[in-house]
Amino acid sequence: MTFRAILDEARIHPAIRDAVATRHADIVHEVEEAIAANDVVVVGMAQNPHVRRARRALDRAGIGYRYLEYGSYFSSWRRRNALKMWTGWPTFPMVFVSGTLVGGASDVERLIQAGALAPARVPRDER
């Protein structure tokens, strides 16, 4: 399997490497911390019907999760862009299970239907 292309650091001028590496790094670190502390994490944005769909699917299946919301269609798109660049996933929600990005709402629904997500998965901080 070929993984997506990422511009090699050697092809980024040294004068801007720090700016590239630290741009909105706080949002990435916050998501990383949530992923480390919880079995299921949903990263979304207000007003997005797909985020609501993923959360409803998890709720119906009795699967606990941590939800992080960053802005809406009208705000914080630059900060959310850092998450898209970090994961390579182009849309919201971004759903992580046991530290692994599993996709968005349709992907979560398929995993639930296949029995790949069990109700026993509860956010670690709520046990």
Side-chain angles (χ1 to χ4, degrees):
M1 180 170 104
T2 304
F3 200 68
R4 68 186 173 93
I6 299 174
L7 186 62
D8 188 88
E9 184 176 338
R11 294 181 56 202
I12 299 172
H13 194 279
I16 66 165
R17 283 183 188 155
D18 190 52
V20 170
T22 61
R23 181 93 172 139
H24 299 300
D26 60 318
I27 193 172
V28 173
H29 294 307
E30 186 174 4
V31 172
E32 285 179 314
E33 288 174 2
I35 292 167
N38 299 276
D39 286 334
V40 180
V41 175
V42 178
V43 180
M45 54 187 273
Q47 303 168 324
N48 184 311
H50 302 289
V51 173
R52 283 192 302 273
R53 199 172 101 212
R55 294 179 71 193
R56 272 187 257 154
L58 291 166
D59 289 341
R60 279 192 305 271
I63 299 169
Y65 59 90
R66 168 89 187 273
Y67 178 59
L68 300 172
E69 183 174 279
Y70 297 105
S72 69
Y73 286 108
F74 305 107
S75 67
S76 299
W77 67 268
R78 285 184 177 100
R79 285 176 42 83
R80 284 192 310 275
N81 204 33
L83 295 173
K84 291 179 178 185
M85 292 170 62
W86 173 60
T87 63
W89 190 251
T91 60
F92 290 93
M94 293 176 181
V95 181
F96 297 85
V97 176
S98 300
T100 299
L101 176 64
V102 298
S106 298
D107 306 292
V108 166
E109 290 169 339
R110 278 193 296 275
L111 288 171
I112 290 170
Q113 283 182 332
L117 294 181
R121 294 195 183 280
V122 183
R124 290 182 198 123
D125 60 353
E126 292 182 18
R127 287 188 186 162

